[in-house]
Amino acid sequence: MERRLRKELTNLIKDPPDGIVVDPDKISQNITEWTVDVKGAEGTLYQGEKFTLQFKFGSKYPFDSPQVMFVGKHVPEHPHIYSNGHICLSILSDDWSPALSVQSICLSILSMLSSCSEKKRPPDDMFYVRTASKNPKRTQWLFHDDTV
Amino acid sequence: MEKAADFHYNAEQNYDEETIIQQREIEKEIAGCQDLVGPKEDFTTLDREFEHDVAFLKKIQDVKQRYRRFRRIRADGNCFFRAFGFAYFESLLKNPDEFKRFQDIALKSKDELITLGFPQFTLEDFHETFMQELNKIETNKSIEGVLQTFNDCGTSDYIVVYLRLIVSGFLQKNEDFYQSFLDGGRTMREFCNQEVEPMGRESDHIHIIALSQATGICVQVDYMDRGDGNLISHVFPEDSSPSIYLLYKPGHYDILYKE
């Protein structure tokens, strides 16, 4: 697990995709917990906004998906993102594959933001945020809309 | 957990966490009592497993007539890939020519998969481990070594992942032909993302065809199902001579041996 995470980190620092910023100093203390800054792409509803993603890796990573959520004051307003930072995205649970990586998760989340046409919260946001576990991996997600 | 009789559904409560904890406990229980790849054994435990199940008795007799022994594989949704990988690696111990042929295919597979658009970084990681374990067959030449490789959870799962990626790559490359096997209006890409690449997703005919075609490894599967009649065998690809034999019981694969 550690070997793969160190390789991923080196790779992300050396060659970060557009809109993704990793601060190696913050991660070096604990390799199993990362924060990654994500910037809304130009020409999208989130242009000029900056968000922070938190990654937590369990001992079974990469066979088991990491726990990923938005943290901090500013959580993007999006139909698949709850106001507690939880993200409804199939690759974070059911469709996770060990061939995916931190980089591919960041790119999927950025693309989810970029294709959004209206800023709003999921319809069940109030109920979900009240009853959900702190860990988004403790939710059984249902995926019914891949248009945004 | 509450007992079923006392259970009253409360719409204001979230049950996901309890459900997931229970699933993990079931997985742990299976992992605790079964090796990823078990020892070679005779059919005594298979008899016991189905002694009260008339539908399977005839099929077990057929299995015993055709085979001498079998090896159990852990039921974790990866059993087809693990059984296929282990049985094939084991067969390579006695077949240096086949080893060379496959080593060459395995080496070339990395660039092919990268060309198909798999992320280079993670793919290389899995390919490296796969080749390293494959090459051990040539240097170690021992069944103990192969058992060790496949019973070490991390290494074993790396091999399973790489075989899954080979299947995904083959199906996407031959999408035009295999698309008609899919139901539910999914694209081949969606099918691979949902049913091939994730760990623990069970295998169907299409996975078996793809893996045997992509690797040139011929496998025979004997199907022990509830249907009437004799044990039915399928050879993948058709009309070739199998180098490994698998036993299918509903939802699960184990390895069969003639000797």
Side-chain angles (χ1 to χ4, degrees):
Chain A
M1 188 257 295
E2 278 216 9
R3 186 182 63 107
R4 152 100 177 225
L5 276 176
R6 299 222 174 267
K7 273 166 96 176
E8 282 200 47
L9 185 59
T10 318
N11 197 45
L12 256 185
I13 293 166
K14 195 179 72 190
D15 189 17
D18 276 353
I20 292 163
V21 182
V22 190
D23 180 356
D25 293 339
K26 274 195 212 156
I27 297 167
S28 58
Q29 297 141 22
N30 182 1
I31 189 76
T32 63
E33 246 185 85
W34 302 16
T35 52
V36 177
D37 288 335
V38 178
K39 284 187 212 150
E42 303 267 321
T44 71
L45 294 178
Y46 303 93
Q47 175 174 340
E49 294 181 56
K50 201 175 134 188
F51 314 102
T52 305
L53 280 170
Q54 181 195 61
F55 286 76
K56 285 186 181 174
F57 304 92
S59 59
K60 284 191 183 165
Y61 183 79
F63 302 108
D64 206 358
S65 63
Q67 178 191 323
V68 185
M69 58 191 279
F70 282 101
V71 289
K73 287 213 177 79
H74 195 37
V75 171
E77 200 180 346
H78 183 283
H80 294 170
I81 300 170
Y82 290 90
S83 48
N84 63 354
H86 290 196
I87 308 161
C88 179
L89 179 66
S90 64
I91 58 163
L92 295 180
S93 52
D94 290 6
D95 295 346
W96 167 256
S97 143
L100 298 170
S101 60
V102 174
Q103 175 161 336
S104 46
I105 292 173
C106 290
L107 290 175
S108 288
I109 291 173
L110 264 180
S111 123
M112 186 172 121
L113 292 178
S114 297
S115 59
C116 179
S117 56
E118 189 194 349
K119 281 190 175 183
K120 58 177 182 193
R121 289 285 173 213
D124 58 339
D125 189 52
M126 286 213 348
F127 173 74
Y128 180 75
V129 168
R130 199 171 66 233
T131 62
S133 158
K134 277 192 180 139
N135 177 353
K137 291 191 57 159
R138 292 270 161 97
T139 295
Q140 294 196 300
W141 298 94
L142 288 174
F143 308 101
H144 17 54
D145 170 21
D146 23 281
T147 52
V148 280
Chain B
M1 287 289 281
E2 292 170 87
K3 282 201 196 111
D6 312 324
F7 181 81
H8 297 288
Y9 177 72
N10 174 2
E12 284 298 297
Q13 203 186 322
N14 183 328
Y15 293 102
D16 287 1
E17 187 151 0
E18 287 175 29
T19 313
I20 289 171
I21 289 172
Q22 203 180 11
Q23 281 170 352
R24 292 287 108 68
E25 278 170 4
I26 294 171
E27 284 166 16
K28 252 193 226 158
E29 205 179 304
I30 294 175
C33 64
Q34 203 185 351
D35 284 339
L36 287 168
V37 176
K40 240 184 193 181
E41 51 179 301
D42 63 23
F43 293 111
T44 321
T45 61
L46 194 65
D47 280 333
R48 223 175 292 141
E49 195 179 334
F50 292 105
E51 62 188 345
H52 301 299
D53 204 325
V54 183
F56 285 109
L57 289 179
K58 170 82 181 74
K59 312 259 162 139
I60 292 182
Q61 291 311 316
D62 287 349
V63 171
K64 285 189 197 162
Q65 273 180 10
R66 295 184 202 173
Y67 301 95
R68 297 278 305 278
R69 287 170 178 271
F70 82 121
R71 217 187 260 284
R72 289 184 186 272
I73 305 296
R74 187 185 294 169
D76 61 359
N78 298 310
C79 53
F80 166 70
F81 288 98
R82 214 178 308 272
F84 186 102
F86 180 87
Y88 182 65
F89 273 37
E90 186 182 24
S91 77
L92 290 180
L93 290 169
K94 289 185 203 149
N95 197 340
D97 291 344
E98 174 65 10
F99 175 86
K100 287 279 173 236
R101 183 196 71 84
F102 182 69
Q103 192 183 37
D104 190 46
I105 288 184
L107 266 176
K108 286 181 186 151
S109 64
K110 184 182 88 172
D111 290 340
E112 257 179 55
L113 290 172
I114 291 172
T115 316
L116 282 166
F118 284 91
Q120 177 161 3
F121 168 75
T122 49
L123 192 95
E124 273 175 358
D125 194 32
F126 291 108
H127 180 257
E128 218 172 85
T129 304
F130 187 86
M131 291 313 294
Q132 181 190 313
E133 296 306 317
L134 178 67
N135 291 335
K136 278 187 191 167
I137 292 178
E138 203 177 25
T139 46
N140 285 1
K141 286 203 178 66
S142 80
I143 181 65
E144 288 74 25
V146 185
L147 272 167
Q148 200 182 357
T149 294
F150 279 83
N151 273 320
D152 174 80
C153 195
T155 318
S156 199
D157 282 352
Y158 259 70
I159 294 174
V160 168
V161 170
Y162 198 66
L163 293 175
R164 286 182 175 276
L165 296 177
I166 288 177
V167 167
S168 173
F170 179 84
L171 289 174
Q172 293 187 59
K173 198 166 107 190
N174 298 283
E175 185 181 354
D176 290 348
F177 182 74
Y178 289 99
Q179 181 66 45
S180 57
F181 290 81
L182 303 185
D183 46 21
R186 279 191 276 190
T187 64
M188 186 53 84
R189 175 101 201 218
E190 283 166 345
F191 177 80
C192 289
N193 287 344
Q194 293 164 1
E195 307 296 342
V196 181
E197 290 167 28
M199 290 298 274
R201 231 37 78 78
E202 288 180 13
S203 298
D204 219 326
H205 263 217
I206 188 167
H207 301 76
I208 307 179
I209 295 169
L211 189 55
S212 69
Q213 293 279 359
T215 55
I217 299 167
C218 178
V219 52
Q220 174 170 326
V221 183
D222 289 66
Y223 287 88
M224 222 168 91
D225 54 26
R226 291 192 171 275
D228 293 333
N230 294 330
L231 188 71
I232 295 180
S233 313
H234 282 291
V235 178
F236 306 88
E238 277 173 45
D239 303 324
S240 33
S241 159
S243 49
I244 55 178
Y245 300 86
L246 302 182
L247 173 65
Y248 175 84
K249 293 178 286 177
H252 186 64
Y253 295 87
D254 289 318
I255 305 171
L256 287 167
Y257 296 92
K258 299 250 184 204
E259 300 300 322

